[in-house]
Each structure stands twice: as structure tokens, then as C-alpha cells.
Amino acid sequence: MTEDSLRDAIREAARQAFQAVRSANPHEHFYYFALVTTGDALRPGPSANSLEGLERAIDRYRAKGSACGADVLRWSEADSPYHLYGDEHFRDVEALFLLGGDHRALPVPAYEE
């Protein structure tokens, strides 16, 4: 695996995921598409949100009695209805990330290093 092949795989997976979410929701107004990962460097995953998705997230919080508004939820990928939408397109990317082994299985000192 080369850096170029990994970059190409991520680019293609992102293209497919973002195209899928847009195709499934053609009347929504998307304002972000992002690749997100974890603090322990797992492979990236897709996230997106639309104005309509943001409104649904706000409505969910209000239904639970929270006054959370757009200012708090606008960039919260975990609250987006489209967080990890199209994640199945990242299977090949995950395989490339794991070629050298799963770093999460290392002993703690090696993992922290």
C-alpha cells in the first residue's frame, strides 16, 4: 500500500458516500460534508448535514425537553441524521488501515507510543 493508494481509496469512498446521501435526499440543502475519525486514528468515516436535518435534530432535543438550538447543533456530526451515512463505502479503506495490524490490539505501552 502506498500513501497515494490510501488517499485514492479515501477519496473514492467519500465521493460515493456523499453522492449516496445527496441522491437519497435530493430536496435537502446540505451545508457540510466531512470525514471524521477518532482520537486513536481509526479510518475516517463520512458525515454530512442539511438545514432540514439540523431542524430535525433540534426537534428531537426539544421533544426531550432540551432547549438545544442551531448554534449548538449546527456542527455536531454526532447529532446529524446523516452521520456515518454511506459508511459501507469505507470497507476497502478500513482494510487498508488494518494492513499493518490493528493497533487497538497492542499492549497498552505500545498502543500509547
Side-chain angles (χ1 to χ4, degrees):
M1 174 189 64
T2 66
E3 190 175 303
D4 287 341
S5 64
L6 180 59
R7 183 180 23 251
D8 291 347
I10 293 170
R11 182 182 300 122
E12 180 58 20
R15 185 191 67 72
Q16 290 178 16
F18 299 148
Q19 186 176 49
V21 73
R22 291 182 101 170
S23 294
N25 303 281
H27 302 296
E28 295 204 16
H29 300 86
F30 286 88
Y31 62 89
Y32 85 72
F33 296 92
L35 294 177
V36 297
T37 189
T38 63
D40 57 351
L42 296 177
R43 58 99 171 152
S47 190
N49 208 356
S50 66
L51 296 174
E52 296 79 5
L54 175 60
E55 285 302 316
R56 289 192 301 276
I58 293 167
D59 291 345
R60 279 193 311 272
Y61 274 91
R62 286 187 181 147
K64 295 177 185 176
S66 174
C68 243
D71 56 329
V72 173
L73 297 175
R74 179 174 310 281
W75 304 110
S76 173
E77 74 273 357
D79 291 302
S80 169
Y82 304 117
H83 180 57
L84 298 178
Y85 191 103
D87 195 53
E88 66 276 7
H89 298 289
F90 283 79
R91 276 185 274 233
D92 291 344
V93 172
E94 183 159 2
L96 291 172
F97 264 69
L98 295 175
L99 278 177
D102 188 343
H103 66 281
R104 296 168 294 174
L106 293 171
V108 173
Y111 174 84
E112 289 176 352
E113 184 180 312

